[in-house]
Amino acid sequence: MTSEPVSLAHALALASFEDRWSPRIVTAVNDYDVRVAKVEGEHLWHVHDHTDEFFLVLEGELHIALREPAGERTVVLPKGSVFTVPRGTEHKPHARVPTEILLLEPTGTLTVGDRHDEVPGHVDATAGHVLT
C-alpha cells in the first residue's frame, strides 16, 4: 500500500476504473482493506459468515436488502450514510442510480461472500483489485 495520501475523488474518477461492482483497494489498515467501488443495478444475495461488512456512501444512494430473523427489510443509504451488515446476515446491495461507495473488510474477503446466489456477469467475484 502507499505511504502517500490518496484522494478518493481522484481514485473514483480514474478512466481505467469504470467497472461496476468491482472494488479497488485504496489502502490497508492492519488486516483490513479500504476499498472503493462504483455500483449500479443489483449485486446478489450473499452472506459473510465470519465478518461484518461496512458501507459508506460517497455519492449517490445505496439500498441494501436484508434477510433477518424478523423478516426481510431494505435499508436506504443516501450520500454520507454508513451502515454495517452484521456477519451471518444474508444481504443484497443495489443502486438505482450510479453510486460510489467505500467498504471496510478484512483483507481477502470476497465480494460475493462465503455463500451466495449464482454470480451474474456484471458482478466481479474478487477480493478487490489494487488501485493503479
Side-chain angles (χ1 to χ4, degrees):
M1 295 295 117
T2 181
S3 61
E4 296 298 321
V6 176
S7 162
L8 291 179
H10 176 73
L12 285 162
L14 294 175
S16 63
F17 180 27
E18 290 302 319
D19 297 333
R20 301 298 190 246
W21 304 109
S22 183
R24 300 306 192 260
I25 300 168
V26 177
T27 191
V29 179
N30 298 317
D31 297 331
Y32 282 77
D33 289 338
V34 177
R35 304 173 184 177
V36 291
K38 294 179 179 181
V39 301
E40 186 176 11
E42 295 191 356
H43 195 265
L44 67 145
W45 283 104
H46 66 285
V47 176
H48 299 279
D49 289 326
H50 306 289
T51 186
D52 299 336
E53 188 171 18
F54 172 87
F55 293 85
L56 164 62
V57 178
L58 302 170
E59 214 39 73
E61 182 178 270
L62 185 68
H63 298 238
I64 304 175
L66 303 161
R67 290 181 176 155
E68 300 172 310
E72 195 170 305
R73 69 181 175 117
T74 299
V75 294
V76 179
L77 288 75
K79 178 181 177 179
S81 296
V82 300
F83 184 76
T84 301
V85 175
R87 72 189 72 206
T89 301
E90 192 173 11
H91 61 289
K92 180 181 183 178
H94 60 280
R96 297 177 181 158
V97 298
T99 298
E100 298 171 353
I101 60 175
L102 181 141
L103 303 151
L104 183 63
E105 299 177 297
T107 300
T109 300
L110 291 174
T111 58
V112 295
D114 301 305
R115 295 178 281 124
H116 53 80
D117 284 350
E118 185 174 334
V119 180
H122 68 277
V123 172
D124 187 9
T126 180
H129 301 282
V130 175
L131 184 66
T132 56

